[in-house]
């Protein structure tokens, strides 16, 4: 982001410039470790420092009061189902594996659209279960 501001001379012309920066690791860490984890605390503190550093850079490079910042989020994250507090409130809640989830989805998609190919996960893109908690259609 800093290199972009400097190289493109953002904030120095007559017309407004737009720079969008995403902190996507926060989302992944929240999904995997849950909102009350040390990992989420760590990434939150690191993100806070990164944003502070970027704002200080913009103050020096573009000038205070010469830029606007908008922060947004797409969602929060719920407590993990394996936690005791979650189990007490939602006894049936549990984390399912990618294979468990896609087995039922595969059967449902086969029933509606017919079988496609012979591989067990033909409907889905495969990702390492420990890293990617999302399901993508193939």
């Amino acid at each position: 982001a800093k290199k972009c501001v400097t190289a493109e001379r953002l904030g120095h012309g007559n017309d407004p410039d737009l720079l969008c920066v995403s902190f996507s690791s926060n989302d992944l860490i929240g999904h995997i470790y849950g909102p009350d984890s040390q990992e989420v605390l760590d990434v939150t503190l690191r993100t806070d420092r990164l944003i502070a550093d970027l704002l200080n850079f913009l103050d020096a490079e573009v000038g205070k009061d010469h830029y606007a910042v908008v922060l947004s989020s797409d969602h929060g994250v719920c407590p993990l189902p394996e936690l005791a507090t979650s189990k007490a409130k939602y006894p049936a809640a549990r984390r399912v594996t990618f294979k468990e989830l896609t087995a039922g989805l595969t059967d449902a998609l086969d029933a509606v659209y017919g079988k496609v190919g012979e591989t067990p996960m033909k409907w889905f893109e495969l990702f390492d279960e420990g890293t990617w908690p999302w399901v993508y259609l193939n």
Side-chain angles (χ1 to χ4, degrees), residues 10-11 17 51-52 54-70:
L10 298 182
D17 295 307
I51 292 171
L54 180 59
L55 294 176
N56 288 329
F57 171 80
L58 291 173
D59 286 349
E61 182 68 23
V62 179
K64 286 185 178 186
D65 299 323
H66 289 92
Y67 63 91
V69 174
V70 176

Side-chain angles (χ1 to χ4, degrees), residues 113-131:
Y113 299 105
K115 292 192 176 204
V116 181
E118 295 302 318
T119 57
M121 297 297 182
K122 62 197 170 281
W123 288 105
F124 306 100
E125 292 289 330
L126 297 176
F127 295 101
D128 176 27
E129 287 184 57
T131 306

Side-chain angles (χ1 to χ4, degrees), residues 73-101:
S73 173
D74 61 344
H75 62 83
V77 62
C78 62
L80 300 179
E82 55 269 21
L83 295 177
T85 53
S86 297
K87 286 285 185 199
K89 194 170 185 179
Y90 306 104
R94 70 182 183 95
R95 193 180 291 238
V96 297
T97 66
F98 183 82
K99 288 182 182 178
E100 289 174 303
L101 178 66

Side-chain angles (χ1 to χ4, degrees), residues 8-79:
E8 297 296 326
R9 302 213 15 90
L10 298 182
H12 293 286
N14 293 329
D15 297 317
D17 295 307
L18 177 64
L19 173 66
C20 298
V21 180
S22 175
F23 294 94
S24 301
S25 296
N26 302 58
D27 187 50
L28 180 62
I29 291 168
H31 279 285
I32 293 174
Y33 297 103
D36 303 317
S37 67
Q38 289 297 309
E39 291 81 359
V40 166
L41 175 60
D42 180 67
V43 76
T44 301
L45 294 173
R46 290 173 187 265
T47 301
D48 184 67
R49 282 191 223 131
L50 283 169
I51 292 171
D53 182 57
L54 180 59
L55 294 176
N56 288 329
F57 171 80
L58 291 173
D59 286 349
E61 182 68 23
V62 179
K64 286 185 178 186
D65 299 323
H66 289 92
Y67 63 91
V69 174
V70 176
L71 298 174
S72 69
S73 173
D74 61 344
H75 62 83
V77 62
C78 62

